Amino acid sequence: MLDHNRGLLADLLEKLLPEVHYRQPQAGFLAWLDFRALGWGDDPTAHLLAAARVALNAGHRYGPSGHGFARLNFGCAPQTLTEALTRIAAVR
């Protein structure tokens, strides 16, 4: 499932949120999403929670290089991942 969701996330981002950059990890279930191109500030997760009702981990909590990033756990049902990305795309 994780391999499938890695690819699904890449496809959804390319289709729905091409401004959000993502480098597909080789292993694991966490993705670092770069929201800086959308101009949502150092903590895009605040905007995502308020506007899209999607909770991600704030990248800035992991150090200065995480400003403008969010961490997404893609170890979930594909439908959940699709719903989250669809909601995020609707508020950009």
Side-chain angles (χ1 to χ4, degrees), residues 4-51:
H4 175 264
N5 281 3
R6 271 186 210 95
L8 176 60
L9 178 56
D11 291 344
L12 289 169
L13 287 170
E14 183 179 325
K15 186 184 311 178
L16 301 174
L17 291 157
E19 309 90 346
V20 176
H21 298 285
Y22 158 68
R23 194 173 340 172
Q24 202 172 109
Q26 296 293 317
F29 53 89
L30 299 173
W32 285 95
L33 305 180
D34 180 353
F35 286 94
R36 292 178 295 177
L38 293 175
W40 292 345
D42 288 343
D43 181 9
T45 63
H47 176 70
L48 293 171
L49 185 58

Side-chain angles (χ1 to χ4, degrees), residues 9 12-13 16-17 33 35 48 52-56 72-73 76-91:
L9 178 56
L12 289 169
L13 287 170
L16 301 174
L17 291 157
L33 305 180
F35 286 94
L48 293 171
R53 307 301 293 165
V54 174
L56 303 179
L72 174 122
N73 180 334
C76 58
Q79 298 85 351
T80 302
L81 187 58
T82 302
E83 175 71 19
L85 272 288
T86 300
R87 287 185 190 187
I88 292 169
V91 301

